[in-house]
Amino acid sequence: MSAADAAMSAGMPDHLVIAHLFPDALNLYGDRGNIDTLARRASWRGIAVEVRGIGADDGPRLAGADVIFIGGGADQHQRAVADELIALAEPLRRAIDEGAALLAVCAGYQNLGHAFRSPHVGEIPGPGLLDVETEMPAGAERFVGGIAVELEEGSPIAAADGLGRRRVVGFENHSGRTSLGPTMRPLGRVLIGRGNDGASGFEGAVAMPGDGGLRGLRIGTYLHGPLLPRNPHLADFVLASGLGRGAPIELPPLPDDAEWDAHRRFADDWTAIRPGVYRRSRIGRLRDRAGALIGF
Ligand code: GLN
């Protein structure tokens, strides 16, 4: 029996549609690797994958999407796609309400909120698909480096492998400070790194399927890296939620030793470099200031 036949006989969907928003403008630090990870993890399970690059005029092509992904970029890129994102607001909301899972990274996280304010590009209103707001104070310290986050106890994102692994790791590089509205909860508690605002101790924003009146899962996070190759539990939760149209399905397990090894090494290395409260070096702070001047 082929992998696809096996998928069918297990009652699993046989087709996955991934909508990748603005793949050219927003693709920092290999964010595209998240798409590859989702696609590979689906095809290893015998599920055929279709990836649709989505730009301003592609609202109708969001219909039927199982997963919607948007990556990171500099402020100027965020400005460049802002109007197009507003134009896509309704088809995006519809697709999520039909059960598509949304994963938004860094600039995408900021742009999909209610508003992003930056001294470089002014105020960018967003479609409010994530109940968050982001402010980049003038001269704000840039948060750069490895980050590890602990999901809350009982989180359905935790690895379903009996080991209950609740850590998510990635790389952050942002000056924006994000605050959450009442319909979203943080992705997790910051173990190392800075997270949403460097002060609250929290990272990311999550609305589980059904929360805030939309059927689909919504996750916003500052974690680049790309995020999903080193976090197979998160990759599978996004897949399971999208394929289940908001009711996460059970996916057959994959042999993830290499992924967990990469996860562990990344966390160990950054814990050694960045123990406890993180402080930028003098050179790092100078670089931050230079970066702020050229408007990153
Ligand atoms: N421009 C945003 C910030 O610095 C987002 C950067 C990113 O996507 N890494 O806050």
Side-chain angles (χ1 to χ4, degrees), residues 212-264:
L214 290 175
R215 191 169 353 149
L217 167 75
R218 286 169 291 149
I219 299 179
T221 176
Y222 276 111
L223 275 57
H224 289 278
L227 166 68
L228 297 180
R230 294 189 193 92
N231 295 289
H233 49 342
L234 183 57
D236 276 359
F237 189 68
V238 170
L239 272 181
S241 301
L243 286 169
R245 306 254 126 220
I249 58 169
E250 205 170 308
L251 292 168
L254 294 172
D256 281 329
D257 290 353
E259 286 78 0
W260 284 113
D261 198 36
H263 173 109
R264 210 167 13 251

Side-chain angles (χ1 to χ4, degrees), residues 28-29 72-75 78 106-107 110 136 142 173-176 224:
L28 203 57
Y29 305 126
D75 291 18
Q78 293 176 253
C106 204
Q110 298 173 345
M136 185 191 285
R142 179 160 284 280
N173 183 356
H174 59 106
S175 301
H224 289 278

